Amino acid sequence: DAEITQSPRHKITETGRQVTLACHQTWNHNNMFWYRQDLGHGLRLIHYSYGVHDTNKGEVSDGYSVSRSNTEDLPLTLESAASSQTSVYFCASSVQRINTEAFFGQGTRLTVV
Amino acid sequence: TQLLEQSPQFLSIQEGENLTVYCNSSSVFSSLQWYRQEPGEGPVLLVTVVTGGEVKKLKRLTFQFGDARKDSSLHITAAQPGDTGLYLCAGGRNAGNMLTFGGGTRLMVKP
């Protein structure tokens, strides 16, 4: 069965370190998204990609970057981790950009100390 | 201020009660989705509504899209403990081609 997987599921890192969260999907979807989830804020879009070599900033993109070198993967990099980036991060993919189901990974809980 | 406001933020009810969750905005959406999320998992789609005034039913869950496509509601009849979770609405806008999520409603149904 097709799926979307995130790794690691949990990570603790120190302030100032670079961190990369992996996202891999086997749906062959062109559209991939990274969200962060914090209490009271629902899901906020960090970055998104509509295809290979395409990346776009979402509403909370400062301090984050993504790259899309193939269809399956959209890694999220925190250039210099800050305590404000402690959150649960979700990756998602979809067939269309909107109006269709977004399939989510199980999330990565990141703690910056 | 979020583009999509959900209310209530928290709801604790007894098994068998009915409830309604609201998702409101001043913006028009081309579609409105409802997701349910359990602890430690990613959100899972329940329904997508695309036409103003549209009503969809999923067993005991009834979803409605407002006539002006600015708001939506989720009504659960005879809630069960298995309905416990975080309910998220998400609006799709043609401008920007992206989904915008509400803040979520955390529902607890006590047996």
Side-chain angles (χ1 to χ4, degrees), chain B residues 26-60:
Chain B
S26 57
S27 298
V28 176
F29 293 97
S30 59
S31 67
L32 205 295
Q33 297 180 330
W34 284 92
Y35 290 79
R36 180 167 168 266
Q37 184 179 16
E38 298 193 29
E41 302 291 332
V44 176
L45 182 69
L46 294 172
V47 76
T48 300
V49 285
V50 297
T51 305
E54 183 176 2
V55 176
K56 280 192 175 180
K57 293 192 175 184
L58 186 66
K59 296 183 180 178
R60 294 176 292 100

Side-chain angles (χ1 to χ4, degrees), chain B residues 1-101:
Chain B
T1 303
Q2 289 190 294
L3 192 60
L4 276 169
E5 296 287 341
Q6 282 189 242
S7 62
Q9 289 187 343
F10 302 96
L11 191 56
S12 179
I13 61 172
Q14 293 295 134
E15 181 176 3
E17 293 184 11
N18 301 331
L19 67 115
T20 302
V21 176
Y22 299 94
C23 178
N24 295 306
S25 177
S26 57
S27 298
V28 176
F29 293 97
S30 59
S31 67
L32 205 295
Q33 297 180 330
W34 284 92
Y35 290 79
R36 180 167 168 266
Q37 184 179 16
E38 298 193 29
E41 302 291 332
V44 176
L45 182 69
L46 294 172
V47 76
T48 300
V49 285
V50 297
T51 305
E54 183 176 2
V55 176
K56 280 192 175 180
K57 293 192 175 184
L58 186 66
K59 296 183 180 178
R60 294 176 292 100
L61 278 60
T62 301
F63 305 86
Q64 183 162 9
F65 201 10
D67 291 342
R69 290 184 290 130
K70 293 182 178 181
D71 52 79
S72 180
S73 63
L74 158 60
H75 182 79
I76 301 179
T77 303
Q80 299 177 0
D83 296 326
T84 293
L86 178 67
Y87 290 82
L88 295 158
C89 66
R93 291 189 296 161
N94 290 327
N97 278 318
M98 65 182 71
L99 276 179
T100 299
F101 282 82

Side-chain angles (χ1 to χ4, degrees), chain A residues 21-78:
Chain A
L21 309 183
C23 175
H24 179 81
Q25 54 101 359
T26 59
W27 298 96
N28 201 36
H29 289 162
N30 283 326
N31 310 302
M32 295 185 72
F33 311 86
W34 273 104
Y35 295 89
R36 61 178 288 174
Q37 187 172 39
D38 305 288
L39 193 63
H41 288 280
L43 290 164
R44 291 184 291 175
L45 185 62
I46 305 171
H47 281 286
Y48 58 102
S49 169
Y50 290 147
V52 177
H53 302 312
D54 175 75
T55 61
N56 306 279
K57 294 181 178 180
E59 62 177 302
V60 290
S61 61
D62 287 349
Y64 304 94
S65 64
V66 294
S67 61
R68 188 87 180 271
S69 59
N70 58 53
T71 300
E72 297 80 16
D73 299 289
L74 186 70
L76 177 71
T77 297
L78 286 69

